[in-house]
Amino acid sequence: MVAPPQYPKAPEKEKWRGASIEERSRWSLGMFFFHPHADYIVRSVLERMEICAQSRRADAMLVIGGAGSGKTALHDFLFEIAKRRYPPREDPIQTIAPVVTLPVPEPATGHQLCVNTLGVLGEPTEVKRPKDKTLKHVKKALIDCEVQLILVDNFQNLPERRGKRGVQ
């Protein structure tokens, strides 16, 4: 079983008695509770990360679940574990970031995903580039930053298909 991250100590009982639902929710936000299925998922992801790192080949995993099922909490938990295993380091030219997290923008377009990726990698995003050059710049930045793992949150914001009038 993977060791869970440390969370702040709970407030004393007296403080809880007068706490509103919002205060209690805010305190527990980001907590990740282990369930046997979650332990299996975390171990599977960690094993895949090791295999990918050793083989230098890409892989993908998609976690699906209903609203409130803990997908974002799992994403955040995996991101913290991955950052500890593959920490960012400073290079004379740039930061090497083996693990990055990429939130999918809403509305999600290919160009906006590229711009968000550049922002996550610390590249300037306000530079106006043609769309094809932006994609090339993203590919180069991912290689230069030695990115090995990209965790994507809000995957549901990606469009299902392209229609005659664009992305739907």
Side-chain angles (χ1 to χ4, degrees):
M1 185 172 189
V2 178
Q6 299 298 315
Y7 291 104
K9 186 175 180 267
E12 299 298 322
K13 281 186 178 181
E14 294 303 316
K15 177 160 173 36
W16 279 123
R17 286 194 179 116
S20 68
I21 298 292
E22 291 81 22
E23 287 176 299
R24 292 169 189 245
S25 295
R26 247 181 283 132
W27 184 84
S28 64
L29 236 133
M31 291 183 80
F32 187 80
F33 296 97
F34 268 96
H35 182 275
H37 295 297
D39 186 46
Y40 171 76
I41 291 169
V42 170
R43 278 189 287 111
S44 297
V45 170
L46 294 176
E47 287 171 14
R48 279 183 156 182
M49 284 169 47
E50 289 300 321
I51 291 168
C52 289
Q54 291 170 2
S55 67
R56 307 285 293 160
R57 295 188 58 170
D59 198 357
M61 179 183 284
L62 177 64
V63 177
I64 57 174
S69 63
K71 298 179 300 293
T72 297
L74 177 62
H75 166 275
D76 296 346
F77 182 75
L78 290 172
F79 183 59
E80 290 304 315
I81 291 173
K83 275 195 322 189
R84 279 189 256 140
R85 280 193 171 198
Y86 306 102
R89 61 191 189 283
E90 292 300 322
D91 186 77
I93 300 171
Q94 66 195 33
T95 300
I96 304 301
V99 180
V100 295
T101 181
L102 180 63
V104 175
E106 196 174 342
T109 65
H111 181 71
Q112 191 58 48
L113 277 168
C114 288
V115 170
N116 281 11
T117 304
L118 289 173
V120 165
L121 296 174
E123 297 284 320
T125 57
E126 63 280 348
V127 177
K128 298 290 182 197
R129 297 180 188 91
K131 290 182 181 182
D132 61 329
K133 291 202 184 213
T134 303
L135 181 58
K136 287 179 185 174
H137 192 79
V138 167
K139 288 178 183 178
K140 182 180 180 332
L142 288 169
I143 292 167
D144 290 348
C145 291
E146 300 178 22
V147 174
Q148 296 177 18
L149 176 66
I150 301 172
L151 293 168
V152 180
D153 196 12
N154 295 328
F155 194 78
Q156 72 275 6
N157 290 346
L158 289 174
E160 293 179 24
R161 58 183 161 48
R162 291 193 175 272
K164 291 179 183 177
R165 296 182 47 166
V167 176
Q168 296 180 341

